[in-house]
Amino acid sequence: MDNNYRLPTGKEIIFILIAFIVTMFVVVIYLKLPIQIALLLIWFIIIAVGLKIGYSYNQLQAGLCKGIYEGMEAVLVMISIGALIGTWIAGGIVPSIIYAGLHIINPTFFLVTAFVICMVTSLATGTSFGSAGTAGIAMIGIGTSFGLPLPLVAGAVISGCYVGDKMSPLSDTTVMTASLAKVDLFDHIKSMSFVSIPSVVITLILFGIANFTISSKKGSLEQAQKAMGQLSNQFNISWWMVIPLIIVIVLLAFKMPSVPVILFGSLLGSLWAVWFQGISFVKSIKILYRGNDISSGVPFIDNLLNRGGITFMLETVLLVIIALGIGGLMEAIGVTQKISDIFSKWASDPGRLTVTTLLAGVFGNFFGGAAYVSLLTATKMTEKNYDKLKIKRTVLSRNTEAGGTVTTPLVPWSDGGVFMATTLGISTMHYLPFVWYSFVVIIISVIFGFRGMFIWRTDDSNKEVDNIKTQTSDYYSEIKN
């Protein structure tokens, strides 16, 4: 086997990064072609660099496939949630939630309420995608009815969804981060709480201020009343419409696998469409695949509810697969390792170490296109530095989620960014300035790092004492036996 390959030089890495940005700008902004085309072209640029530094076609293809494989769970979740959205709209589940929200939620406190509802949903289910596809869509509908700025509403929804994605013991990213950092799951959550709790409080205050600022100009109930009328005309609105939602939350709370649970929820949505909305079974299955299609006579209701289905997510899935391939190629040719070496030389104190971990997470999202990739890059690029500085790995796991998980919806071509934009109907660049929870988490993490707050050190003496106790216990056990 030919091993005459090397790591890329600094100039070659800079070339790849600049080529990435230029390609995205020319193809997407100037030529106005789909972003998938730009990402495919970037495949060829990275492959060309890989061939130049000695890697074979087989090695590059293996790396590409490995990157895609590592993100396939997110792809399957997207397909499942596409089916769920379509059937839950047709079955009256989402319309009933919107109707109830319009009836009880005050426009003056809506942004705070939307943040809290999505936060509770994501904490209970452990999925930001599932929370956005159910409670998030409902909040967008209610916010539209109140006449509130939709990018701001989307910011509140996404902020709430990512609290649970980051903190819930049921979240795959939370479990994966604890595993990658080699720490106990609940120690990881406890460490994150020192950042997440003040971040949630500050975010609530920010959305509260924003709500009061716009309440004098927005928040009319006239459109909300009209929406309630149209919803009641189009759907059978009842309390038992939310039973599938309760079942799905309970199953996820019992740590059942997310993909089959969500698919089961979409099947329940199809049955609800047949039993309660008068839709034929064959049509309900078509909706599961192709999405919902109604004509209420109210444009914003039609825009909101004519979505979902597996085909609704296919373009998104293609984008994520191509982006994951870029991450795999970057890993295969050694770009990740080279940047890790650069970080290790610069990160000489807790503040710099925090910044490098955050940057490594953002790097994974920006060039790898998925939360899973960002968690890998953040841990693998920086873990040795935490051990070198004798900082506990619970700090590593906390910073990994701050740089990886919560920045995912901020990158337009990442799995989170694409999913949120597609599901909520608002482009990433429009909602990005209002995802305040993500920005607050990053700011607090950096402050803690440079101030040395909640940066716990490993205690080697305690480890020695524990080892002595263990050895002594084993010794007396042997004597006793």
Side-chain angles (χ1 to χ4, degrees):
M1 181 178 175
D2 185 11
N3 289 328
N4 294 323
Y5 53 84
R6 59 173 173 82
L7 290 176
T9 64
K11 289 182 180 179
E12 287 165 340
I13 292 175
I14 291 172
F15 168 76
I16 291 173
L17 302 184
I18 292 175
F20 186 103
I21 294 169
V22 171
T23 302
M24 294 294 288
F25 177 82
V26 172
V27 174
V28 180
I29 305 299
Y30 182 72
L31 298 177
K32 300 187 185 303
L33 293 172
I35 192 172
Q36 289 91 334
I37 301 296
L39 294 176
L40 267 179
L41 290 174
I42 293 164
W43 273 18
F44 291 103
I45 293 171
I46 301 173
I47 288 171
V49 174
L51 293 172
K52 177 179 179 293
I53 62 179
Y55 289 87
S56 68
Y57 284 106
N58 288 337
Q59 287 173 309
L60 294 170
Q61 179 174 292
L64 189 152
C65 292
K66 182 174 181 287
I68 294 172
Y69 172 78
E70 289 176 346
M72 281 308 296
E73 184 176 346
V75 170
L76 294 174
V77 170
M78 287 182 184
I79 293 171
S80 304
I81 290 178
L84 184 85
I85 292 171
T87 61
W88 279 25
I89 291 174
I93 299 157
V94 171
S96 292
I97 296 171
I98 295 174
Y99 187 92
L102 291 171
H103 186 70
I104 65 175
I105 295 176
N106 190 317
T108 307
F109 305 102
F110 173 72
L111 293 176
V112 172
T113 305
F115 174 74
V116 171
I117 288 174
C118 291
M119 176 178 69
V120 171
T121 304
S122 63
L123 285 169
T125 61
T127 166
S128 57
F129 286 7
S131 302
T134 52
I137 287 180
M139 294 303 107
I140 291 292
I142 297 168
T144 303
S145 300
F146 289 155
L148 299 173
L150 290 187
L152 188 56
V153 176
V157 166
I158 297 167
S159 293
C161 289
Y162 273 85
V163 174
D165 202 319
K166 181 174 180 287
M167 290 294 294
S168 174
L170 305 175
S171 169
D172 51 357
T173 55
T174 306
V175 174
M176 182 178 177
T177 303
S179 175
L180 289 170
K182 298 180 178 63
V183 300
D184 177 77
L185 174 61
F186 289 96
D187 287 342
H188 168 50
I189 293 172
K190 180 181 178 182
S191 177
M192 286 195 295
S193 66
F194 288 93
V195 170
S196 289
I197 291 174
S199 297
V200 167
V201 172
I202 293 171
T203 304
L204 280 170
I205 292 170
L206 291 174
F207 281 119
I209 293 171
N211 222 146
F212 280 111
T213 301
I214 64 176
S215 62
S216 61
K217 301 177 182 178
K218 303 287 183 181
S220 170
L221 292 175
E222 183 178 345
Q223 192 174 9
Q225 296 290 343
K226 184 178 180 181
M228 289 172 68
Q230 288 298 326
L231 288 171
S232 61
N233 289 336
Q234 291 286 326
F235 298 94
N236 179 10
I237 304 294
S238 301
W239 68 267
W240 55 79
M241 294 298 113
V242 300
I243 291 176
L245 172 63
I246 295 170
I247 292 173
V248 168
I249 290 175
V250 169
L251 290 175
L252 291 172
F254 278 97
K255 299 184 179 181
M256 300 294 286
S258 57
V259 172
V261 168
I262 294 170
L263 285 173
F264 177 66
S266 67
L267 178 60
L268 289 178
S270 293
L271 295 176
W272 253 242
V274 174
W275 294 340
F276 302 113
Q277 307 301 333
I279 295 174
S280 70
F281 182 73
V282 172
K283 185 177 180 181
S284 72
I285 298 300
K286 287 182 178 179
I287 290 172
L288 182 149
Y289 182 71
R290 296 177 181 171
N292 196 50
D293 184 18
I294 65 168
S295 180
S296 67
V298 180
F300 87 87
I301 290 286
D302 293 344
N303 290 336
L304 179 69
L305 300 182
N306 286 339
R307 62 180 64 206
I310 292 173
T311 57
F312 180 67
M313 288 294 174
L314 291 185
E315 195 169 320
T316 302
V317 165
L318 175 61
L319 175 54
V320 171
I321 288 174
I322 298 172
L324 288 169
I326 291 175
L329 286 169
M330 291 277 216
E331 177 74 24
I333 69 172
V335 171
T336 303
Q337 183 181 339
K338 187 72 174 183
I339 294 176
S340 175
D341 294 341
I342 295 171
F343 282 169
S344 65
K345 295 176 183 178
W346 185 75
S348 57
D349 59 61
R352 289 186 174 190
L353 185 53
T354 297
V355 171
T356 57
T357 310
L358 297 177
L359 288 175
V362 172
F363 177 90
N365 276 319
F366 198 87
F367 295 103
Y372 298 132
V373 178
S374 72
L375 301 180
L376 283 165
T377 54
T379 51
K380 298 308 176 186
M381 284 183 177
T382 64
E383 61 183 352
K384 292 180 181 178
N385 290 347
Y386 284 84
D387 297 337
K388 181 180 177 181
L389 295 177
K390 295 185 177 181
I391 295 175
K392 286 190 175 182
R393 287 201 170 206
T394 49
V395 181
L396 164 64
S397 64
R398 182 180 75 202
N399 288 337
T400 294
E401 295 248 36
T405 303
V406 301
T407 65
T408 305
L410 308 182
V411 178
W413 52 86
S414 72
D415 54 359
V418 174
F419 179 84
M420 293 299 165
T422 304
T423 302
L424 302 180
I426 298 144
S427 71
T428 307
M429 299 310 295
H430 280 92
Y431 71 62
L432 187 151
F434 306 105
V435 187
W436 291 333
Y437 175 73
S438 297
F439 294 119
V440 173
V441 165
I442 292 169
I443 292 169
I444 291 179
S445 297
V446 172
I447 291 172
F448 282 4
F450 281 102
R451 295 298 297 267
M453 298 171 64
F454 306 110
I455 305 295
W456 302 288
R457 303 278 181 170
T458 56
D459 190 341
D460 294 331
S461 62
N462 284 345
K463 289 182 180 179
E464 291 174 7
V465 170
D466 289 339
N467 289 335
I468 291 170
K469 287 181 179 179
T470 302
Q471 293 170 6
T472 304
S473 176
D474 292 342
Y475 174 75
Y476 280 115
S477 295
E478 290 176 5
I479 293 175
K480 189 175 180 179
N481 293 330

